[in-house]
Amino acid sequence: MASAHSRMRCGEFRTTYQADMTIFPTPLARRVAVVSVLLLLLAPLCLDAYYLNLLIQIGYYGIAALGLNIVVGFTGQISLGHAAFFGLGAFASAWISNNSGIPVFFAIPLAGLLTMAVGLMVGIPAGRIKGLYLAIATLASQYILEDFFARAEWFTGGSAGAMASPFSIYGYEMNSDKSFFFVVLFYVVVMFIAGANLMRSRDGRAFIAVRDHYLSAEIMGINLNKYRILSFGISSFYAGIGGALFGHYLGFVSAEGFTLILSIQFLGMVIIGGLGSVMGSMLGTIFMVLLPEVMEFGVHLVGSESTALTQALAYIKEMAIGLAIILFLIFEPDGLAHRWRMIKNYWKLYPFSY
Amino acid sequence: MSENQPLLQVDNIFLSFGGVHALREVSFEVRTGELFSIIGPNGAGKTSMLNCISGRYQPNKGQISFKGNSIIGLKPNDRCKLGIGRTFQNLALFNHMSVLDNILVGRHHLLKNNFLSGSLYWLSGARKEELVHRREVEDIIDFLEIAHIRKEIAGTLSYGLRKRVELARAVALRPDLILLDEPMAGMNLEEKEDMARYIIDLNEEWGMTIIMIEHDMGVVMDISHRVMVLDFGRKICAGLPDEVMENEQVKSAYLGVGFDDEVQQADEEVV
Ligand SMILES: Nc1ncnc2c1ncn2[C@@H]1O[C@H](COP(=O)(O)OP(=O)(O)O)[C@@H](O)[C@H]1O
Ligand SMILES: [Mg+2]
């Protein structure tokens, strides 16, 4: 009978629907998540700036990656313009806090909403076109926004870039790695819980239904246009929040960072992590952020004297990312989240793994 | 809606694809509480007729009224809200979702939580609402005897079970009219008997009006209240099962060509 309960750990029985509708698939998963967050709360005490910086990067990119996963992984559409929305969030939050006297604390969610509004507009063609055409349309939005960043000096500071004020609560500035880490951690926890909740409620199911079989989704009462556009909007909201955190962390936003390359890297994160998996978005981001660091470490290990190798490092990093995406597409198309489930399935029935 | 008004009225429907006339001047009506069957050889236009009712196809000409109002021009999702549900001839489940989630999608138009309240889940009351609907869905799961597979991924199930999950999903819409496109195709005898029992219960206990396309003449004659026969896109007769069986035109057009080997393969067509 093991297979009938294959989604639970051995010997677990749910007696109420409430118990069966928890956000985590098993109590163990819940414990692991809670313990991880508790350990991360201690991270600023034990880790140096280098590692904190990596964790912060994983945080804001992870939020944006979850947004991209909503549109690509869950709704089955394509977006090549995610980096531009990430940038829009960064500029918007900086601009709002610099020009309106609204504190950064509120500017970040407002920037998310503004980015969402633009995302909804860009999503309008998505209601009508699919596949390659949609890819081109979102590519166009990437370039249009990039162009806007370069021209709209009032908003972005043009080629000079824009200063972004530090995050502060009650006059206490959180601009060090140690303190900003908590801000990012807070947002990661909130956004990922919200994302997981979305996917187990009405509109999240509608997204997946549109992806899996849009004709029968429509027969089930789902308005295809509305949900195709909405998923772009929500995805942009996540990108905007991630970008805003990025801006206030660096203290400075410049347009060069938000190119097509970053859009592709976001796609890499959700492909590697697992399309249509909330946790996969985080796993893929961790992978993509750490990969260049590991490459750098490796290069220094084998060839600290070889200048040729150190000089080639920049290329090696970029090629490694491309190679990772290709290898995942070939060998692990369901991503890290899937691999993780397989390992879990193996262990949870241990020793009766067959 | 007056007492005598039919639940569904189909008037003089024409539908063609390029040169192919899928439907020609088809008219019929279905009354509240009826179990109405459509039969006819492959390619006769049966699925096309259901597609016109559910909104997948727009007829070139003709009128379709549901509960007294024209539904021509309405999108499928709007017809769903009016109370029309359906299953597909070629399975159309959400293959990567669990059985439970597939059926919960059927509650879409009855649920009120949205992306915002859904994301806030506990804070917004979405959880409470989902729970209420979960109970409703569990009733359907019990009725269709699929409790043991509720957590399975739909795409991994056997054909017979998938057909049953599709029925569950359509029932979850709580439609007044449910359209079943070959609900027993490809099933073994035991599965067919189960399915026939579910359909009768849906009609008698759950009060759903049913339009069913089915090739198994035994089942059709046993459980239908009325039967309509289509051939080459035309309605050639309609009436009580016994009357239809006796009709000469039906015998030559349909029953003549292999009454007994009705196990026809579902052709490759768009649902
Ligand atoms: N989407 C479509 N495009 C072109 N031809 C179609 C389409 N749908 C149905 N047809 C044609 O209409 C006719 C009736 O098909 P259908 O309604 O599926 O028959 P049945 O369900 O009775 O087997 C067939 O000739 C079929 O090829
Ligand atoms: Mg058919």
Side-chain angles (χ1 to χ4, degrees):
Chain A
M1 265 318 281
S3 71
H5 300 285
S6 67
R7 262 145 234 296
M8 305 179 197
R9 283 179 63 83
C10 257
E12 252 179 52
F13 286 91
R14 312 282 168 83
T15 45
T16 62
Y17 301 139
Q18 284 99 316
D20 201 25
M21 286 167 58
T22 49
I23 191 166
F24 295 105
T26 62
L28 180 72
R30 183 201 186 90
R31 253 171 270 146
V32 168
V34 171
V35 169
S36 317
V37 171
L38 289 178
L39 283 178
L40 282 170
L41 282 172
L42 298 176
L45 296 178
C46 359
L47 297 179
D48 63 22
Y50 170 75
Y51 289 105
L52 281 180
N53 168 269
L54 286 180
L55 287 177
I56 290 171
Q57 278 189 48
I58 289 171
Y60 55 67
Y61 284 136
I63 291 170
L66 174 55
L68 185 64
N69 216 339
I70 289 172
V71 83
V72 178
F74 286 101
T75 319
Q77 306 186 99
I78 181 79
S79 174
L80 294 175
H82 206 61
F85 291 110
F86 186 80
L88 185 62
F91 281 123
S93 191
W95 185 80
I96 291 170
S97 58
N98 289 340
N99 289 282
S100 65
I102 294 175
V104 173
F105 186 86
F106 296 109
I108 294 175
L110 284 177
L113 289 177
L114 187 89
T115 313
M116 179 171 185
V118 176
L120 286 170
M121 285 193 296
V122 167
I124 289 172
R128 316 205 162 272
I129 57 178
K130 287 191 298 230
L132 193 55
Y133 298 99
L134 184 58
I136 301 295
T138 58
L139 186 63
S141 72
Q142 164 80 35
Y143 284 118
I144 291 169
L145 280 172
E146 270 187 55
D147 194 55
F148 172 73
F149 296 157
R151 284 165 196 271
E153 291 203 14
W154 58 274
F155 184 65
T156 64
S159 52
M163 303 300 292
S165 343
F167 188 93
S168 65
I169 298 180
Y170 298 120
Y172 174 71
E173 284 197 359
M174 304 178 81
N175 55 355
S176 68
D177 283 346
K178 280 191 200 307
S179 51
F180 198 76
F181 174 83
F182 291 108
V183 179
V184 173
L185 182 61
F186 170 80
Y187 266 101
V188 166
V189 170
V190 168
M191 299 299 276
F192 272 74
I193 288 178
N197 280 338
L198 174 63
M199 290 312 159
R200 62 185 176 138
S201 55
R202 173 181 181 258
D203 283 4
R205 281 192 301 268
F207 288 142
I208 304 172
V210 169
R211 174 196 74 192
D212 271 10
H213 203 302
Y214 70 94
L215 289 176
S216 69
E218 199 177 22
I219 297 281
M220 292 297 128
I222 293 169
N223 182 333
L224 296 180
N225 267 356
K226 173 183 162 188
Y227 281 93
R228 285 185 176 137
I229 295 170
L230 184 64
S231 97
F232 268 95
I234 295 175
S235 148
S236 306
F237 179 75
Y238 279 78
I241 296 286
L245 290 169
F246 165 85
H248 294 294
Y249 174 56
L250 294 187
F252 176 75
V253 189
S254 90
E256 289 100 69
F258 313 119
T259 58
L260 184 61
I261 302 286
L262 182 59
S263 283
I264 305 280
Q265 282 179 349
F266 279 130
L267 277 175
M269 291 174 196
V270 299
I271 290 168
I272 289 173
L275 291 165
S277 158
V278 172
M279 264 336 277
S281 316
M282 187 43 89
L283 296 178
T285 309
I286 294 172
F287 187 94
M288 287 288 269
V289 171
L290 294 188
L291 183 65
E293 303 301 322
V294 171
M295 300 304 296
E296 182 152 358
F297 181 73
V299 164
H300 285 307
L301 212 59
V302 293
S304 46
E305 303 94 64
S306 152
T307 48
L309 205 57
T310 352
Q311 269 165 8
L313 189 60
Y315 300 106
I316 293 180
K317 280 184 189 173
E318 281 187 10
M319 286 196 310
I321 287 174
L323 190 66
I325 295 177
I326 292 171
L327 289 178
F328 265 91
L329 283 174
I330 298 173
F331 295 112
E332 197 74 65
D334 293 328
L336 289 169
H338 177 70
R339 174 62 34 196
W340 169 242
R341 273 194 294 274
M342 305 282 287
I343 295 170
K344 234 172 40 186
N345 275 342
Y346 177 81
W347 282 106
K348 78 183 169 197
L349 293 173
Y350 185 84
F352 310 106
S353 323
Y354 306 100
Chain B
M1 199 167 108
S2 77
E3 277 300 303
N4 313 331
Q5 191 176 48
L7 182 68
L8 181 82
Q9 175 118 37
V10 175
D11 254 333
N12 203 25
I13 290 294
F14 284 78
L15 174 74
S16 58
F17 300 97
V20 181
H21 295 281
L23 294 169
R24 277 183 284 196
E25 49 177 341
V26 178
S27 302
F28 64 96
E29 54 181 53
V30 179
R31 304 195 157 268
T32 304
E34 257 191 319
L35 203 170
F36 184 89
S37 289
I38 304 177
I39 61 172
N42 269 327
K46 306 181 296 296
T47 299
S48 299
M49 191 63 244
L50 291 200
N51 281 337
C52 288
I53 300 171
S54 70
R56 180 87 181 85
Y57 294 161
Q58 298 291 348
N60 304 94
K61 205 180 132 192
Q63 188 52 249
I64 301 178
S65 304
F66 182 66
K67 297 181 183 168
N69 300 313
S70 168
I71 53 171
I72 293 288
L74 287 186
K75 296 212 293 183
N77 49 308
D78 294 324
R79 300 188 192 202
C80 165
K81 281 182 213 144
L82 293 179
I84 301 178
R86 76 170 286 184
T87 65
F88 295 85
Q89 177 174 359
N90 305 318
L91 294 159
L93 285 175
F94 308 119
N95 277 338
H96 298 92
M97 281 183 162
S98 70
V99 166
L100 195 55
D101 282 343
N102 263 280
I103 305 172
L104 277 166
V105 172
R107 306 299 293 179
H108 184 84
H109 72 116
L110 300 166
L111 280 158
K112 290 194 178 58
N113 75 75
N114 57 24
F115 69 97
L116 198 60
S117 56
S119 295
L120 298 174
Y121 210 66
W122 313 275
L123 308 178
S124 63
R127 173 175 185 271
K128 217 170 143 195
E129 192 194 21
E130 291 280 333
L131 197 58
V132 170
H133 287 257
R134 170 71 190 268
R135 292 210 179 88
E136 293 266 328
V137 163
E138 289 292 339
D139 287 343
I140 297 167
I141 285 177
D142 286 344
F143 164 59
L144 291 173
E145 298 166 300
I146 46 178
H148 59 297
I149 53 159
R150 62 156 88 72
K151 289 297 175 78
E152 303 291 317
I153 299 301
T156 64
L157 298 172
S158 72
Y159 185 81
L161 281 176
R162 274 191 269 179
K163 280 260 175 203
R164 219 188 282 184
V165 174
E166 242 202 81
L167 180 61
R169 190 181 65 174
V171 170
L173 297 167
R174 287 300 173 129
D176 299 312
L177 174 66
I178 189 165
L179 316 171
L180 306 174
D181 199 345
E182 306 200 12
M184 297 167 206
M187 288 188 167
N188 63 35
L189 190 64
E190 194 185 337
E191 288 172 322
K192 275 186 184 176
E193 279 172 0
D194 284 342
M195 188 54 90
R197 186 161 48 80
Y198 298 138
I199 293 173
I200 293 172
D201 280 355
L202 280 179
N203 181 240
E204 291 178 357
E205 313 284 330
W206 297 56
M208 289 183 194
T209 306
I210 296 175
I211 301 182
M212 172 176 83
I213 296 174
E214 186 46 55
H215 277 303
D216 188 312
M217 294 303 279
V219 176
V220 169
M221 295 305 157
D222 264 3
I223 72 175
S224 314
H225 300 154
R226 278 193 310 136
V227 179
M228 172 171 83
V229 188
L230 288 182
D231 192 24
F232 291 110
R234 283 181 195 280
K235 168 179 162 184
I236 56 176
C237 88
L240 300 174
D242 293 339
E243 295 168 7
V244 168
M245 287 291 271
E246 293 308 312
N247 186 299
E248 289 305 320
Q249 235 180 327
V250 175
K251 278 182 188 161
S252 62
Y254 180 40
L255 308 180
V257 274
F259 184 17
D260 287 325
D261 45 45
E262 286 306 340
V263 203
Q264 303 179 33
Q265 289 300 312
D267 43 335
E268 280 293 316
E269 80 206 81
V270 194
V271 288

